[in-house]
Amino acid sequence: MESTSTSTIAQSLTRAIVEHRLLPGTKLAEQKLADHFGVSRTLVRQALFQLSQNHLVTLEPARGAFVSTPSVTEARQVFAVRKMLEAQMTRSFVETVTPKQIKVLREHVRQEAAAVHRADVTERTELLGDFHVRMAELMGNDVLAQLLGDLISRCALITLMYQSASAAAHSHEEHEEIVQALARKDAEGAVQLMVAHLEHVEQGLQFEREIPSNDLSMALSSITL
């Protein structure tokens, strides 16, 4: 029986992608991965399928699996939808905001600050995205939370690959400003801050930089379970 689970392989590969050890466009050869992790190709195939559901990996018929390379068009469209959706969400949030909700958001922002300070790319990116979903959850709107979670999942690889550490720190600071406006019940101010925040994130993505090629064998030498 194989001791390494599909989820463990998926987590290891996700970490390698997040930390830029597996770069966009890298071919993920099943046999090389199976040999590295000491498992069957079936487990590797299942792990790659999981990552494809999170848009981290692209599966191409007859070609195999590759680390996804998000297009500029995809990024622009995702952010356009997010701005429309989150502007209204922010306005609605202010209408029913409670001190308890503000306390939860402030604690979330505190955790963001800690992750940014530690330069923890994985946790930093997760927390920055979860801030938006957390607002929907606090409103008690499960449909909105699920929809927003899907959109942010599509943004995850985009920001992981193209957002700088300074841009991430700026995002955290803007989250703090949004929470302050929510606490004041300043609907227009909060909406303006939210839209400006998403525009800043989009503008800060460095799509023009050349993505270096990568060799799977070299990358695997730094991946551990």
Side-chain angles (χ1 to χ4, degrees):
M1 181 178 295
E2 296 172 315
S3 59
T4 303
S5 68
T6 297
S7 61
T8 301
I9 298 171
Q11 289 169 7
S12 296
L13 292 176
T14 297
R15 189 166 61 251
I17 292 172
V18 167
E19 295 174 355
H20 298 177
R21 287 180 284 115
L22 280 175
L23 300 175
T26 303
K27 182 175 176 58
L28 302 171
E30 290 182 3
Q31 191 58 58
K32 283 188 178 181
L33 290 171
D35 292 342
H36 176 77
F37 290 113
V39 300
S40 67
R41 291 180 63 174
T42 299
L43 280 185
V44 169
R45 195 172 298 119
Q46 291 171 350
L48 294 175
F49 178 76
Q50 283 186 14
L51 295 183
S52 73
Q53 300 303 293
N54 295 329
H55 308 282
L56 291 177
V57 166
T58 299
L59 302 178
E60 299 185 14
R63 295 194 65 221
F66 298 82
V67 177
S68 295
T69 305
S71 70
V72 175
T73 299
E74 175 188 352
R76 301 302 185 211
Q77 291 175 347
V78 169
F79 275 99
V81 173
R82 284 191 60 184
K83 280 183 280 188
M84 289 185 286
L85 185 65
E86 295 189 51
Q88 184 56 48
M89 176 185 73
T90 302
R91 193 181 305 279
S92 298
F93 191 95
V94 173
E95 294 175 358
T96 59
V97 66
T98 66
K100 183 178 180 180
Q101 291 172 328
I102 294 300
K103 183 178 180 180
V104 171
L105 289 179
R106 281 179 170 153
E107 171 58 22
H108 187 97
V109 169
R110 187 195 66 76
Q111 293 176 20
E112 288 180 2
V116 169
H117 179 72
R118 293 195 306 272
D120 187 329
V121 179
T122 306
E123 186 176 3
R124 179 188 76 199
T125 303
E126 181 178 358
L127 286 168
L128 289 174
D130 281 351
F131 173 83
H132 301 263
V133 178
R134 196 75 184 106
M135 285 181 62
E137 291 174 341
L138 289 170
M139 293 172 65
N141 192 324
D142 294 338
V143 174
L144 176 60
Q146 183 176 5
L147 179 60
L148 195 54
D150 182 62
L151 284 171
I152 290 173
S153 173
R154 298 188 65 175
C155 283
L157 183 61
I158 296 169
T159 54
L160 285 172
M161 296 301 181
Y162 302 110
Q163 188 180 54
S164 66
S166 60
H170 191 209
S171 288
H172 157 68
E173 293 167 358
E174 290 179 336
H175 284 176
E176 286 187 321
E177 294 174 355
I178 291 169
V179 173
Q180 291 171 6
L182 293 173
R184 296 193 304 268
K185 297 188 177 182
D186 178 2
E188 292 307 316
V191 170
Q192 290 177 10
L193 286 169
M194 179 63 81
V195 173
H197 163 58
L198 292 173
E199 288 177 345
H200 291 159
V201 174
E202 182 179 3
Q203 292 165 3
L205 300 177
Q206 301 172 339
F207 289 111
E208 71 284 353
R209 71 183 179 89
E210 182 179 354
I211 302 297
S213 60
N214 201 354
D215 178 76
L216 180 58
S217 297
M218 292 178 62
L220 288 177
S221 65
S222 62
I223 298 177
T224 57
L225 293 174

